[in-house]
Amino acid sequence: MTATVRAWAELLRISALFTVPGDALAGAAAIGRRPGRGTVLAVGASLCLYEAGMALNDWADRDEDAVDRPHRPIPSGRITPGAALTAAGALTAAGLSLAARAGRPALTVATGLAATVWAYDLHLKHTQAGPAAMATARALDLLLGATATWGAGAKPEHSDTRTVTVPGPTTGLVRATAPTPGPAGKPRRGPIARLGGRGGRALAKAARDAQPRHGEPSRQAALPLRAALSAAGLLGAHTYAVTAVSRHEAHGGSTVAPLSALAAVIALGATAVREQRGHGDVPPAPGSGAAGENHRLVPGAPAPPDTRTGTSPRLLVTALTGAYLRTAAEPLLHATLNPSPPLTQRAVGSGIRAMIPLQAALAARAGAAGTGLAVMGLVPLARTLARKVSPT
């Protein structure tokens, strides 16, 4: 029984599983939403599809592994090819079923993700399009978290109010906090609604005018994906670099791949810190009862501090990005100086684990400090399991 469990753990690479939940959490953060029911469904779907890809990968590579990796579960006879293929199909069906419960947009993204996974394992992996296909899969996984969270109407990451700028009674412009609308588009009572006199009525009217009217079609229905595209692009770029290195892990010998990946990792770290932003451009999720937050009236203003953690966004993003660089960069440098199979495999494994601090940095960059710290909590678990079961 123990031997069977270990064989399946190796086939499914369970130590790499901890790199998956951060995709959905970073996707939710990218659109300014707290993790909710849709995020949980997205995490479940992602885990199923990821494991389907692992099982299908070993099934497709069973002949190659018989020569290069005879210790793997299928060539060693511990798991039959038919069992691996059946597991891949069942896990794919389970992932799509979970995504369907999060809404049609999430199912659409999950279907594209599943198709990419199967295309990669069955054909694209051994072509020049292999790294791009794997990068696409990771990017779609983050977008799955964004669409599932959005479709389930998760609450905003920050407060229930937003700041509007309205004409003052005597001079210039004044800033006021407007309540976000409640059910059926009716504004909740807040500081503006309780003000008396002409000034209070004027501010209340301005706040109501700034809110979308009930039944009004959204002109930015595709914005959740656009808001998450930057984070998805960074995660996809990292995946591309690591996948390019993994193509040489069996035989080594390449200095170009790890050197290019090292340059990409450094560039991604710099971009993650530089592109920090707030949520002022994210509209309300359907059915969430929130009109979104306009925390920054000036484009390019930094995200506000997370009031629940008291953490400075820029400081936290910098720390998390530093953790990402430490995890990924050093092994890549060693593989560049000595492109032997063991060091190349170590660089690939570290690159896979480095996705966790990268996901955490992306979440914190979007203003979700608590989510970023929660994602980082997966690092010790991934490191511990990696000592027992290789993630590659």
Side-chain angles (χ1 to χ4, degrees), residues 146-176:
T147 54
T149 303
W150 183 268
K155 294 181 179 180
E157 179 65 35
H158 298 292
S159 66
D160 289 337
T161 61
R162 57 177 175 166
T163 303
V164 295
T165 304
V166 297
T170 55
T171 60
L173 301 175
V174 297
R175 292 157 60 96

Side-chain angles (χ1 to χ4, degrees), residues 26-27 30 139 142 227-236 275 277 358 362-363 365:
L142 188 145
L229 279 178
S230 174
L234 292 177
L235 188 61
E275 289 189 358
R277 61 173 178 78
L358 177 58
L362 293 176
R365 183 187 71 152

Side-chain angles (χ1 to χ4, degrees), residues 25-316:
L25 293 170
I31 61 170
R33 301 291 147 181
R34 296 176 184 172
R37 173 179 173 274
T39 317
V40 173
L41 290 172
V43 170
S46 297
L47 290 171
C48 288
L49 294 176
Y50 187 86
E51 292 293 47
M54 294 296 102
L56 184 64
N57 175 80
D58 276 25
W59 178 84
D61 285 353
R62 61 192 184 279
D63 294 334
E64 179 182 331
D65 286 346
V67 177
D68 296 330
R69 303 182 184 90
H71 62 279
R72 293 294 300 160
I74 293 179
S76 65
R78 290 176 291 159
I79 294 177
T80 66
L85 184 59
T86 300
L91 287 166
T92 300
L96 294 177
S97 177
L98 288 171
R101 296 179 61 185
R104 185 175 297 177
L107 176 59
T108 300
V109 176
T111 301
L113 172 57
T116 303
V117 168
W118 280 71
Y120 173 82
D121 284 334
L122 296 180
H123 176 64
L124 296 178
K125 176 168 51 179
H126 300 294
T127 70
Q128 293 298 319
M134 185 62 78
T136 300
R138 271 289 176 171
L140 286 173
D141 201 30
L142 188 145
L143 296 179
L144 173 59
T147 54
T149 303
W150 183 268
K155 294 181 179 180
E157 179 65 35
H158 298 292
S159 66
D160 289 337
T161 61
R162 57 177 175 166
T163 303
V164 295
T165 304
V166 297
T170 55
T171 60
L173 301 175
V174 297
R175 292 157 60 96
T177 300
T180 57
K186 296 179 180 179
R188 298 184 179 94
R189 292 188 62 82
I192 290 179
R194 290 194 294 268
L195 287 176
R198 180 181 302 176
R201 289 192 297 272
L203 290 175
K205 182 178 184 302
R208 288 194 300 271
D209 292 342
Q211 298 162 358
R213 292 173 173 79
H214 179 57
E216 194 174 84
S218 172
R219 291 174 299 173
Q220 296 176 315
L223 185 56
L225 286 182
R226 292 203 300 271
L229 279 178
S230 174
L234 292 177
L235 188 61
H238 173 82
T239 305
Y240 185 102
V242 174
T243 305
V245 177
S246 72
R247 294 160 75 90
H248 304 278
E249 64 179 331
H251 304 287
S254 172
T255 58
V256 175
L259 180 60
S260 300
L262 177 61
V265 163
I266 295 173
L268 289 172
T271 303
V273 173
R274 184 175 64 251
E275 289 189 358
Q276 184 176 317
R277 61 173 178 78
H279 294 305
D281 55 349
V282 179
S288 67
E293 303 78 40
N294 192 358
H295 291 289
R296 49 168 197 166
L297 297 182
V298 180
D306 190 306
T307 56
R308 291 167 294 161
T309 64
T311 306
S312 167
R314 183 167 295 279
L315 179 61
L316 180 59

